Amino acid sequence: MNRLVKNTVSNLSALRISRNSFCTQNFKAAGSTSGQLSNDHEQKQKISKNIEQYDVAIVGGGMVGMALACFLASMPLTKQLRVAIIDSNPALGINLCIKKDDPPDPRVSTVTPASISFLQDAGAWKYVEQNRHAYFDKMQVWDYTGLGYARYDARDVNKDFLGCVAENKVLHSALLSCIKDSDFKKTIYPLRLTSMTLNPRSISMVDESVTSRESSAQGQSAELQLSDGSSIYAKLVVGADGGKSRVRELAGFKTTGWNYSQNAIICTVEHTSENRCAWQRFLPTGPIALLPMGDKFSNIVWTMSPTESNNRKSINEETFLEEVNSALDYGYGPHPTSTLSGNRDIFSWFKTDQTLSANEFFEIPPKVVRLASERMVFPLSLRHANSYASKRVVLIGDAAHTIHPLAGQGVNLGFGDAFSLSRIIAEGIALGTDIGEVNLLKKYEADRKPANITMMAILDGFQKAYSIDFGPFNFLRAAAFSGANYISPLKRNIISYASGEQKLPVFF
């Protein structure tokens, strides 16, 4: 298994690589949801005829872009920056109330302890805890052959939990509320980025009375043209606009990657009692995960072929639930043999003391009794930007990298990017450096690229390993699972790496 992962790393190196309700109130916005500039903004332009100038323009107001804004707002050196957030999503400019009895959304994220720590320090996590969410302290991973499994417990590393599952709308609203409650100098443009000029030679729309100092400052900025015909200037443009990033395209960043011949189907399901464990089973066509969401709800993320996903999206609820329960139980193959009955699996010799605690026995996941949301399908791919930074432009989150969802690490990599970039910007300010200088931004790239590539390599390696159904190889996979279950130092290392507490696993 290590050899397979190392080979994948080699290939990737070629890339060059909510309990209560709360409401998000209106922000200071430079435009309405219809894309028309506000009266205040129109009046300001009539008076000064200057294009608005910002220190940072964040293109993309999703979870990662808003997390960057929160991190900047929370630090003394960066909280005085003038920041523009550009995103045409209407949710950024309206009151958004989330109520405890709202139906659960199928789009969720598993947030690691490291990411939770970042969000706590920024003041955003308290808003998540006001709504539906679920901490989990146990995780079970097994495969369809019945040969191998592993159980992880937060107590193995002296922690209270392994992660927390929250709906994306809860995370996004929490970040919006955090920014709203700060005195951060932010302006939201509910518009799209249409074009970008990184080295404007002439300053159009600027009144002749503008001083040479102001013109020089504008000349040291990128010019962003927005979908309503207006423009702004920014010393640093951050592309946080997802896997189809317009910033990445306009800045000329190249990417390398591939599409998997797989789709993921996601939905929310309900049990008769609350689920407190994260479950993942590897099947011949891809993994199925059952993630606790709180209030007797769990989230399903099931990877399969495009044909299977289309069929399972359209079949009736009863049949779909039967197939889900089969996939999490005896479907495709037997249970691992180590159970509460006392039977040992064939790899139990890994454990030197020959004893198993109750927490290490294989358990059957709770039965699903109801479909609680729509079923959504999306294709899977791996993409990585060959570079994250150039003069005045930097990429974070899915704009820089998209990965397989089997470990739920995508948003955590994005939060790590945002946290790292906020610290690099603060460092530049402390040193009196232009925050758009490429040498400064390359420090962020050097910090994040190795960690991102390693995670991508591991997940891609797992995906490829389970695309092979061959007896001896199945046995080796099972041995790897059981080694992770019974060898305590290896188990602790895996938990620490998956929780975000260390950037690289020990075997690299």
Side-chain angles (χ1 to χ4, degrees), residues 327-404:
L328 291 167
D329 199 342
Y330 271 116
Y332 302 91
H335 296 156
T337 55
S338 181
T339 65
L340 292 176
S341 65
N343 296 323
R344 304 296 297 270
D345 70 47
I346 61 176
F347 299 104
S348 59
W349 52 268
F350 272 121
K351 193 169 181 67
T352 56
D353 61 10
Q354 293 298 300
T355 60
L356 283 176
S357 71
N359 290 326
E360 291 175 315
F361 285 114
F362 175 82
E363 292 184 19
I364 301 171
K367 295 295 183 182
V368 172
V369 297
R370 186 175 74 87
L371 185 62
S373 77
E374 65 175 319
R375 285 163 277 182
M376 303 177 68
V377 174
F378 57 93
L380 305 181
S381 63
L382 181 148
R383 289 285 182 276
H384 190 262
N386 297 353
S387 175
Y388 294 2
S390 64
K391 188 174 179 63
R392 309 235 168 269
V393 183
V394 68
L395 304 177
I396 63 175
D398 283 358
H401 43 76
T402 58
I403 63 173
H404 198 288

XYZ file of all heavy atoms in Angstrom, residues 327-404:
619
model
N -25.398 -1.838 1.425
C -24.009 -1.408 1.206
C -23.268 -1.210 2.520
O -22.039 -1.348 2.568
C -23.990 -0.116 0.393
N -23.987 -0.901 3.596
C -23.360 -0.677 4.897
C -23.382 -1.925 5.779
O -22.908 -1.880 6.920
C -24.073 0.468 5.623
C -23.871 1.862 5.026
C -24.862 2.852 5.617
C -22.437 2.342 5.252
N -23.927 -3.022 5.238
C -24.042 -4.236 6.044
C -23.427 -5.412 5.291
O -22.239 -5.422 5.011
C -25.516 -4.472 6.372
C -25.723 -5.407 7.562
O -24.784 -6.134 7.911
O -26.827 -5.388 8.137
N -24.233 -6.388 4.883
C -23.711 -7.603 4.262
C -23.596 -7.508 2.745
O -23.114 -8.448 2.105
C -24.617 -8.787 4.612
C -24.224 -9.500 5.887
C -25.077 -9.505 6.982
C -23.002 -10.163 5.991
C -24.731 -10.166 8.153
C -22.643 -10.809 7.152
C -23.510 -10.812 8.233
O -23.163 -11.459 9.384
N -24.058 -6.428 2.139
C -23.971 -6.328 0.690
C -22.531 -6.357 0.205
O -21.636 -5.829 0.854
N -22.288 -6.994 -0.904
C -20.985 -7.072 -1.584
C -20.014 -8.032 -0.902
O -18.992 -8.399 -1.484
C -20.318 -5.699 -1.703
C -21.122 -4.674 -2.437
C -21.992 -3.830 -1.749
C -21.042 -4.553 -3.821
C -22.748 -2.874 -2.420
C -21.797 -3.611 -4.500
C -22.660 -2.774 -3.793
O -23.420 -1.838 -4.463
N -20.266 -8.413 0.346
C -19.342 -9.303 1.032
C -19.634 -9.370 2.515
O -20.475 -8.638 3.032
N -18.919 -10.251 3.240
C -19.203 -10.476 4.659
C -18.632 -9.384 5.560
O -17.806 -8.569 5.144
C -18.511 -11.816 4.938
C -17.337 -11.802 3.998
C -17.832 -11.129 2.744
N -19.072 -9.410 6.820
C -18.470 -8.537 7.834
C -17.067 -9.027 8.168
O -16.788 -10.237 8.051
C -19.283 -8.567 9.131
C -20.659 -8.020 9.004
N -21.672 -8.379 9.861
C -21.208 -7.146 8.131
C -22.786 -7.743 9.537
N -22.529 -6.986 8.469
N -16.191 -8.158 8.615
C -14.938 -8.635 9.213
C -15.248 -9.551 10.393
O -16.270 -9.392 11.062
C -14.249 -7.345 9.665
C -14.792 -6.302 8.744
C -16.223 -6.691 8.506
N -14.380 -10.496 10.693
C -14.710 -11.545 11.658
C -14.536 -11.142 13.102
O -14.972 -11.859 13.994
C -13.838 -12.792 11.400
O -12.458 -12.401 11.419
C -14.179 -13.408 10.051
N -13.876 -10.012 13.382
C -13.709 -9.599 14.771
C -14.940 -8.837 15.210
O -15.195 -7.723 14.767
C -12.469 -8.718 14.926
O -12.305 -8.347 16.269
N -15.757 -9.428 16.065
C -17.012 -8.839 16.505
C -17.127 -8.967 18.013
O -16.254 -9.525 18.689
C -18.207 -9.558 15.863
O -18.237 -10.901 16.334
C -18.099 -9.562 14.342
N -18.211 -8.446 18.537
C -18.430 -8.526 19.979
C -18.602 -9.964 20.462
O -18.590 -10.231 21.661
C -19.649 -7.678 20.362
C -19.454 -6.164 20.187
C -20.753 -5.443 20.499
C -18.349 -5.645 21.085
N -18.757 -10.896 19.538
C -18.876 -12.298 19.938
C -17.534 -12.878 20.391
O -17.470 -13.961 20.959
C -19.418 -13.136 18.779
O -18.498 -13.147 17.700
N -16.453 -12.145 20.107
C -15.147 -12.574 20.576
C -14.269 -13.197 19.515
O -13.129 -13.537 19.771
N -14.759 -13.409 18.318
C -13.943 -13.964 17.242
C -12.858 -12.989 16.845
O -13.065 -11.781 16.823
C -14.812 -14.301 16.034
C -15.817 -15.383 16.344
O -15.517 -16.316 17.078
N -17.019 -15.246 15.783
N -11.706 -13.484 16.467
C -10.579 -12.647 16.072
C -10.426 -12.692 14.564
O -10.690 -13.702 13.927
C -9.278 -13.147 16.723
C -9.349 -13.221 18.226
C -9.550 -11.856 18.868
N -8.415 -11.003 18.585
C -7.335 -10.924 19.360
N -7.242 -11.660 20.451
N -6.341 -10.120 19.040
N -9.960 -11.591 13.956
C -9.724 -11.648 12.519
C -8.337 -12.215 12.248
O -7.521 -12.389 13.152
C -9.930 -10.268 11.872
C -8.858 -9.254 12.235
O -7.684 -9.608 12.164
O -9.203 -8.110 12.583
N -8.069 -12.490 10.990
C -6.848 -13.213 10.652
C -5.583 -12.390 10.844
O -4.487 -12.928 10.822
C -6.910 -13.718 9.191
C -7.047 -12.536 8.228
C -8.038 -14.702 9.013
C -7.013 -12.974 6.767
N -5.743 -11.083 11.076
C -4.567 -10.230 11.261
C -4.382 -9.810 12.721
O -3.616 -8.897 13.008
C -4.680 -8.980 10.392
C -4.747 -9.277 8.926
C -5.947 -9.190 8.241
C -3.616 -9.662 8.236
C -6.012 -9.467 6.888
C -3.670 -9.942 6.878
C -4.873 -9.852 6.204
N -5.077 -10.458 13.642
C -5.019 -10.018 15.032
C -3.626 -10.183 15.649
O -3.341 -9.619 16.694
C -6.052 -10.784 15.862
O -5.812 -12.171 15.797
N -2.762 -10.964 14.995
C -1.390 -11.102 15.501
C -0.610 -9.806 15.448
O 0.437 -9.664 16.068
C -0.645 -12.187 14.728
C -0.689 -12.018 13.236
C -1.595 -12.558 12.387
C 0.195 -11.233 12.436
N -1.334 -12.164 11.082
C -0.236 -11.354 11.089
C 1.303 -10.435 12.700
C 0.403 -10.703 10.038
C 1.949 -9.802 11.653
C 1.492 -9.938 10.334
N -1.162 -8.773 14.695
C -0.518 -7.461 14.695
C -0.445 -6.897 16.119
O 0.469 -6.168 16.455
C -1.308 -6.476 13.831
C -0.918 -6.481 12.382
C -1.864 -6.776 11.406
C 0.368 -6.174 11.989
C -1.523 -6.757 10.069
C 0.724 -6.163 10.646
C -0.232 -6.462 9.689
N -1.454 -7.200 16.923
C -1.537 -6.611 18.256
C -0.730 -7.467 19.215
O -1.050 -8.625 19.477
C -2.995 -6.514 18.713
C -3.173 -5.623 19.933
C -4.645 -5.352 20.191
C -4.843 -4.450 21.397
N -4.338 -3.109 21.188
N 0.336 -6.889 19.763
C 1.291 -7.681 20.531
C 0.730 -8.213 21.837
O 1.104 -9.292 22.274
C 2.541 -6.821 20.829
O 2.129 -5.616 21.496
C 3.256 -6.452 19.541
N -0.199 -7.468 22.484
C -0.716 -7.945 23.757
C -1.895 -8.907 23.594
O -2.416 -9.449 24.572
C -1.120 -6.786 24.675
C -2.226 -5.923 24.078
O -2.802 -6.325 23.057
O -2.501 -4.854 24.656
N -2.330 -9.145 22.331
C -3.367 -10.116 22.005
C -4.691 -9.861 22.720
O -5.449 -10.780 22.987
C -2.884 -11.536 22.323
C -1.743 -12.002 21.431
C -2.160 -12.059 19.962
O -3.078 -12.773 19.615
N -1.470 -11.310 19.120
N -4.960 -8.632 23.076
C -6.250 -8.279 23.674
C -6.871 -7.155 22.870
O -6.177 -6.302 22.323
C -6.089 -7.825 25.137
O -5.240 -6.666 25.179
C -5.494 -8.937 25.987
N -8.191 -7.185 22.801
C -8.924 -6.145 22.104
C -9.828 -5.434 23.096
O -10.514 -6.081 23.890
C -9.789 -6.730 20.982
C -9.095 -7.150 19.691
C -10.119 -7.785 18.757
C -8.433 -5.982 19.017
N -9.810 -4.109 23.065
C -10.764 -3.361 23.875
C -12.102 -3.345 23.155
O -12.197 -3.632 21.953
C -10.272 -1.927 24.089
O -10.356 -1.192 22.886
N -13.158 -3.005 23.897
C -14.494 -2.948 23.296
C -14.553 -1.965 22.147
O -15.308 -2.143 21.190
C -15.524 -2.589 24.365
N -13.727 -0.929 22.211
C -13.732 0.098 21.168
C -13.099 -0.379 19.870
O -13.216 0.284 18.848
C -13.001 1.355 21.657
C -13.770 2.083 22.743
O -14.995 2.103 22.731
N -13.044 2.666 23.684
N -12.374 -1.530 19.917
C -11.693 -2.022 18.719
C -12.499 -3.073 17.966
O -12.122 -3.453 16.874
C -10.319 -2.590 19.103
C -9.337 -1.523 19.563
C -8.027 -2.127 20.045
O -8.057 -3.107 20.800
O -6.973 -1.615 19.657
N -13.605 -3.549 18.529
C -14.417 -4.547 17.846
C -15.201 -3.930 16.707
O -15.683 -2.806 16.796
C -15.386 -5.197 18.836
C -14.738 -6.186 19.761
C -14.663 -5.937 21.125
C -14.203 -7.375 19.275
C -14.075 -6.847 21.977
C -13.615 -8.290 20.129
C -13.547 -8.021 21.489
N -15.349 -4.713 15.648
C -16.163 -4.279 14.517
C -17.626 -4.154 14.933
O -18.157 -4.987 15.661
C -16.044 -5.294 13.374
C -16.951 -4.998 12.208
C -16.582 -4.076 11.241
C -18.186 -5.627 12.095
C -17.418 -3.789 10.181
C -19.033 -5.352 11.036
C -18.646 -4.426 10.076
N -18.271 -3.073 14.451
C -19.686 -2.864 14.714
C -20.436 -2.642 13.403
O -19.862 -2.139 12.431
C -19.904 -1.664 15.637
C -19.403 -1.867 17.054
C -19.746 -0.684 17.947
O -20.655 0.093 17.575
O -19.104 -0.533 18.995
N -21.714 -2.992 13.419
C -22.569 -2.769 12.255
C -23.180 -1.382 12.351
O -23.677 -0.992 13.417
C -23.682 -3.826 12.196
C -23.060 -5.226 12.109
C -24.602 -3.578 10.998
C -24.068 -6.344 12.257
N -23.138 -0.569 11.293
C -23.703 0.793 11.348
C -25.203 0.769 11.627
O -25.888 -0.227 11.364
C -23.412 1.350 9.954
C -22.305 0.513 9.426
C -22.505 -0.855 10.007
N -25.735 1.859 12.146
C -27.178 1.921 12.397
C -27.971 1.897 11.096
O -27.522 2.410 10.073
C -27.346 3.262 13.123
C -26.173 4.080 12.691
C -25.049 3.104 12.524
N -29.146 1.297 11.140
C -29.988 1.192 9.960
C -30.564 2.558 9.581
O -30.885 3.377 10.433
C -31.141 0.217 10.198
C -30.698 -1.223 10.426
C -30.044 -1.806 9.187
C -29.671 -3.264 9.397
N -28.985 -3.843 8.216
N -30.681 2.768 8.292
C -31.313 3.974 7.752
C -32.799 3.685 7.573
O -33.179 2.655 7.014
C -30.671 4.365 6.406
C -31.446 5.489 5.743
C -29.213 4.741 6.605
N -33.659 4.610 8.065
C -35.105 4.361 8.002
C -35.852 5.339 7.104
O -36.988 5.075 6.706
C -35.725 4.397 9.417
C -35.137 3.294 10.277
C -35.527 5.766 10.083
N -35.219 6.483 6.789
C -35.942 7.467 5.983
C -34.967 8.328 5.204
O -33.872 8.639 5.690
C -36.797 8.376 6.883
C -37.696 9.347 6.112
C -38.604 10.133 7.071
N -37.879 11.160 7.807
C -37.683 12.414 7.350
N -38.163 12.763 6.163
N -37.024 13.295 8.090
N -35.361 8.700 4.008
C -34.603 9.659 3.215
C -35.086 11.054 3.602
O -36.269 11.363 3.513
C -34.835 9.418 1.727
C -34.032 10.251 0.726
C -32.539 9.978 0.876
C -34.486 9.943 -0.690
N -34.166 11.912 4.069
C -34.548 13.203 4.637
C -34.182 14.385 3.748
O -34.316 15.539 4.165
C -33.904 13.377 6.014
N -33.696 14.135 2.543
C -33.348 15.230 1.631
C -33.408 14.708 0.204
O -33.596 13.509 -0.032
C -31.943 15.770 1.923
O -30.950 14.894 1.412
N -33.212 15.588 -0.727
C -33.071 15.161 -2.111
C -31.752 14.424 -2.294
O -30.830 14.549 -1.467
C -33.122 16.370 -3.051
C -31.953 17.334 -2.857
C -31.942 18.473 -3.867
O -32.221 18.200 -5.043
O -31.644 19.604 -3.463
N -31.652 13.665 -3.349
C -30.398 13.020 -3.719
C -29.708 13.867 -4.782
O -30.316 14.215 -5.794
C -30.672 11.615 -4.252
C -31.015 10.594 -3.197
C -31.667 9.350 -3.787
N -33.103 9.548 -3.982
C -33.922 8.610 -4.455
N -33.447 7.429 -4.799
N -35.212 8.858 -4.603
N -28.450 14.207 -4.529
C -27.677 15.032 -5.456
C -26.498 14.219 -5.991
O -25.903 13.418 -5.263
C -27.186 16.304 -4.764
C -28.291 17.151 -4.158
S -27.664 18.616 -3.283
C -27.011 19.572 -4.653
N -26.152 14.449 -7.249
C -25.060 13.726 -7.899
C -24.056 14.716 -8.468
O -24.447 15.720 -9.076
C -25.594 12.817 -9.035
C -24.445 12.174 -9.803
C -26.517 11.744 -8.462
N -22.781 14.452 -8.256
C -21.765 15.301 -8.884
C -20.560 14.455 -9.289
O -20.229 13.471 -8.630
C -21.342 16.450 -7.962
C -20.812 16.022 -6.614
C -19.462 15.839 -6.414
C -21.675 15.817 -5.544
C -18.969 15.452 -5.181
C -21.199 15.430 -4.307
C -19.835 15.248 -4.122
N -19.907 14.815 -10.388
C -18.755 14.047 -10.879
C -17.516 14.316 -10.036
O -17.380 15.376 -9.410
C -18.578 14.561 -12.308
C -19.124 15.953 -12.275
C -20.263 15.930 -11.290
N -16.604 13.358 -10.034
C -15.385 13.461 -9.239
C -14.167 13.652 -10.132
O -14.077 13.076 -11.214
C -15.204 12.202 -8.387
C -16.373 11.841 -7.473
C -16.038 10.596 -6.669
C -16.730 13.001 -6.560
N -13.245 14.454 -9.641
C -12.033 14.713 -10.419
C -10.910 15.104 -9.480
O -11.124 15.395 -8.298
C -12.271 15.840 -11.440
O -12.567 17.062 -10.777
N -9.711 15.103 -10.010
C -8.537 15.619 -9.317
C -7.924 16.703 -10.196
O -7.683 16.475 -11.385
C -7.525 14.506 -9.055
C -6.241 14.885 -8.307
C -5.752 13.711 -7.457
C -5.122 15.325 -9.262
N -7.719 17.880 -9.639
C -7.088 18.980 -10.360
C -6.129 19.696 -9.413
O -6.440 19.884 -8.236
C -8.118 19.998 -10.862
C -8.986 19.525 -12.009
C -8.228 19.515 -13.342
N -9.095 19.103 -14.432
C -9.351 17.845 -14.755
N -8.818 16.860 -14.053
N -10.165 17.551 -15.772
N -4.989 20.082 -9.957
C -4.019 20.812 -9.147
C -3.365 21.895 -9.982
O -2.924 21.644 -11.106
C -2.948 19.853 -8.605
C -2.055 20.481 -7.584
N -0.820 20.977 -7.891
C -2.229 20.709 -6.265
C -0.262 21.470 -6.801
N -1.091 21.325 -5.794
N -3.345 23.100 -9.446
C -2.681 24.207 -10.137
C -1.172 24.021 -10.036
O -0.644 23.750 -8.953
C -3.098 25.545 -9.517
N -0.491 24.160 -11.148
C 0.960 24.010 -11.147
C 1.638 25.049 -10.263
O 2.705 24.804 -9.706
C 1.503 24.121 -12.567
C 0.990 23.010 -13.461
O 0.332 22.081 -12.995
N 1.278 23.108 -14.748
N 1.017 26.204 -10.133
C 1.509 27.256 -9.253
C 0.326 27.865 -8.531
O -0.771 27.942 -9.080
C 2.249 28.328 -10.056
O 2.640 29.404 -9.223
N 0.539 28.275 -7.288
C -0.522 28.917 -6.514
C -0.428 30.436 -6.544
O -1.386 31.115 -6.145
C -0.454 28.510 -5.038
C -0.737 27.074 -4.712
C -1.013 26.126 -5.699
C -0.738 26.646 -3.384
C -1.269 24.803 -5.371
C -1.000 25.329 -3.054
C -1.251 24.406 -4.045
O -1.502 23.101 -3.715
N 0.721 30.971 -6.955
C 0.949 32.404 -6.776
C 1.718 33.004 -7.937
O 2.610 32.381 -8.517
C 1.714 32.657 -5.470
N 1.343 34.221 -8.273
C 2.105 35.075 -9.181
C 1.961 36.493 -8.648
O 1.297 36.721 -7.637
C 1.587 34.963 -10.621
O 0.258 35.444 -10.712
N 2.576 37.443 -9.303
C 2.507 38.817 -8.807
C 1.056 39.292 -8.761
O 0.342 39.239 -9.750
C 3.335 39.750 -9.688
C 3.473 41.165 -9.113
C 4.429 41.987 -9.954
C 4.581 43.414 -9.430
N 5.164 43.458 -8.084
N 0.610 39.655 -7.587
C -0.729 40.217 -7.298
C -1.860 39.200 -7.301
O -2.992 39.547 -7.035
C -1.093 41.353 -8.257
C -0.031 42.413 -8.356
C -0.535 43.809 -8.059
N 0.576 44.729 -7.904
C 1.177 45.006 -6.762
N 0.735 44.472 -5.647
N 2.203 45.812 -6.710
N -1.575 37.923 -7.580
C -2.641 36.921 -7.627
C -2.216 35.672 -6.869
O -1.082 35.213 -6.992
C -2.992 36.535 -9.078
C -4.158 35.548 -9.098
C -3.330 37.761 -9.911
N -3.167 35.122 -6.100
C -2.898 33.897 -5.371
C -4.178 33.061 -5.352
O -5.284 33.602 -5.379
C -2.405 34.210 -3.934
C -3.507 34.827 -3.092
C -1.840 32.978 -3.258
N -4.020 31.732 -5.331
C -5.153 30.817 -5.338
C -5.262 30.075 -4.006
O -4.243 29.692 -3.426
C -5.000 29.784 -6.454
C -4.826 30.294 -7.878
C -4.620 29.118 -8.833
C -6.017 31.140 -8.316
N -6.501 29.871 -3.543
C -6.738 29.082 -2.339
C -7.918 28.139 -2.583
O -8.743 28.362 -3.475
C -7.005 29.959 -1.096
C -8.281 30.789 -1.274
C -5.814 30.844 -0.789
C -8.669 31.587 -0.014
N -8.011 27.092 -1.774
C -9.146 26.179 -1.851
C -9.216 25.448 -3.174
O -8.202 25.118 -3.792
N -10.454 25.186 -3.624
C -10.648 24.415 -4.848
C -10.111 25.110 -6.089
O -9.903 24.457 -7.115
C -12.138 24.115 -5.046
C -12.634 23.003 -4.137
O -11.814 22.442 -3.386
O -13.842 22.697 -4.174
N -9.882 26.402 -6.033
C -9.256 27.089 -7.163
C -7.827 26.586 -7.359
O -7.309 26.591 -8.476
C -9.259 28.597 -6.939
N -7.202 26.123 -6.265
C -5.835 25.605 -6.337
C -5.792 24.097 -6.440
O -4.874 23.529 -7.044
C -5.039 26.054 -5.108
N -6.795 23.406 -5.876
C -6.753 21.945 -5.840
C -8.141 21.374 -5.579
O -8.885 21.858 -4.745
C -5.804 21.461 -4.740
C -5.953 22.225 -3.451
N -6.997 22.040 -2.569
C -5.205 23.227 -2.917
C -6.874 22.874 -1.550
N -5.802 23.605 -1.737
N -8.503 20.353 -6.324
C -9.719 19.599 -6.048
C -9.333 18.140 -5.867
O -8.471 17.630 -6.594
C -10.755 19.724 -7.181
O -10.169 19.262 -8.407
C -11.197 21.154 -7.366
N -9.967 17.481 -4.894
C -9.558 16.129 -4.546
C -10.774 15.215 -4.456
O -11.918 15.660 -4.453
C -8.797 16.101 -3.198
C -9.717 16.573 -2.049
C -7.542 16.951 -3.279
C -9.091 16.421 -0.680
N -10.491 13.927 -4.364
C -11.541 12.929 -4.163
C -12.152 13.129 -2.771
O -11.429 13.375 -1.806
C -10.940 11.525 -4.286
C -11.948 10.444 -4.514
N -12.811 10.011 -3.521
C -12.240 9.689 -5.619
C -13.589 9.051 -4.004
N -13.271 8.833 -5.267
